[in-house]
């Protein structure tokens, strides 16, 4: 197996509070059994801060706003729970920044499994997805982005990333239905 499906920030505090995020749940729910059956490593990445805020940088108004939004973004809260079916063989990674790689053991897990190709999905397109894709490319992974497996509060921003930014970076962009595990990006 050389492919992993990375799904980020599809968690109850986001899908419950941000209507745009709910759009990714049906296509990803449909994709999960097919990805697992094809032998892809499924990795769920969720976002949360320590409840005492020790990992919130004082100078980051954006991260502070998430922390102060209530316990939806606090580690161990119901809001930080993944809002998709997680199987026993899946990997779950907790992150505290936009990229799924920043400060996590994701790269270690992927390399231990021989993964060299990633399909990335999640919310938001212009934040978690973009940051994770850039980090992945910098680390030498081939990257595919799942268009309908991603969403952004600003549809024009989502389309701009899918139609211009990601292809210009060499990332393949396909729908969840069209994605095939192991296909070269």
């Amino acid at each position: 197996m050389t492919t992993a499906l990375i799904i980020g920030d599809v968690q109850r505090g986001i899908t419950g509070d941000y209507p745009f995020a709910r759009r990714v749940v049906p296509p990803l729910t449909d994709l999960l059994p097919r990805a697992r059956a094809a032998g892809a490593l499924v990795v769920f990445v969720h976002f949360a801060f320590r409840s005492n805020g020790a990992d919130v940088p004082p100078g980051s108004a954006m991260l502070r706003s998430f922390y102060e939004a209530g316990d939806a973004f606090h580690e161990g809260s119901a809001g930080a729970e993944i809002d998709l079916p997680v199987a026993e063989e899946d990997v779950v990674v907790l992150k505290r920044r936009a990229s799924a790689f920043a400060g996590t053991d994701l790269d270690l897990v992927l390399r231990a499994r021989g993964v060299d190709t990633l399909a990335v999905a999640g919310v938001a397109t212009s934040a978690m997805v973009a940051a994770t894709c850039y980090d992945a490319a910098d680390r030498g992974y081939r990257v595919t982005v799942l268009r309908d497996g991603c969403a952004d509060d600003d549809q024009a921003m989502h389309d701009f990333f899918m139609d211009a930014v990601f292809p210009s970076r060499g990332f393949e962009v396909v729908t969840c239905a069209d994605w095939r595990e192991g296909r070269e990006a």
Side-chain angles (χ1 to χ4, degrees), residues 27 31 34 119 144-148 172-183:
L31 174 61
R34 186 165 48 89
T144 297
V145 184
L146 301 177
R147 183 181 195 106
D148 57 338
E172 181 181 29
V173 178
V174 299
T175 65
C176 289
D178 289 338
W179 178 68
R180 301 288 181 261
E181 183 276 329
R183 182 171 67 187

Side-chain angles (χ1 to χ4, degrees), residues 153-171:
D153 189 37
D154 181 339
Q155 185 64 40
M157 183 70 67
H158 171 80
D159 292 340
F160 176 66
F161 271 88
M162 294 297 170
D163 297 334
V165 176
F166 292 150
S168 75
R169 302 297 193 274
F171 306 154

Side-chain angles (χ1 to χ4, degrees), residues 9-26 66 69 72-73 78-84 123 153:
D9 297 353
V10 181
Q11 58 195 65
R12 293 193 175 127
I14 295 176
T15 58
D17 292 341
Y18 301 91
F20 76 90
R22 288 187 209 115
R23 292 192 307 255
V24 305
V25 173
F66 281 116
F73 297 104
E81 292 177 11
I82 296 161
D83 199 14
L84 289 166
V123 293
D153 189 37

Side-chain angles (χ1 to χ4, degrees), residues 29-117:
T29 300
D30 290 346
L31 174 61
L32 284 168
R34 186 165 48 89
R36 291 179 185 118
L41 175 65
V42 175
V43 180
F44 293 99
V45 184
H46 60 132
F47 175 74
F49 295 110
R50 289 177 174 85
S51 59
N52 67 3
D55 42 17
V56 180
S60 175
M62 183 184 70
L63 292 177
R64 178 143 308 278
S65 72
F66 281 116
Y67 174 75
E68 292 174 352
D71 67 355
F73 297 104
H74 293 187
E75 188 174 352
S77 72
E81 292 177 11
I82 296 161
D83 199 14
L84 289 166
V86 179
E88 185 176 327
E89 67 269 19
D90 298 340
V91 173
V92 177
V93 174
L94 175 65
K95 70 183 183 72
R96 302 178 195 285
R97 297 294 183 268
S99 171
F101 289 96
T104 73
D105 64 353
L106 177 59
D107 191 54
L108 180 130
V109 169
L110 297 175
R111 301 228 185 255
R113 298 293 287 272
V115 170
D116 61 7
T117 303

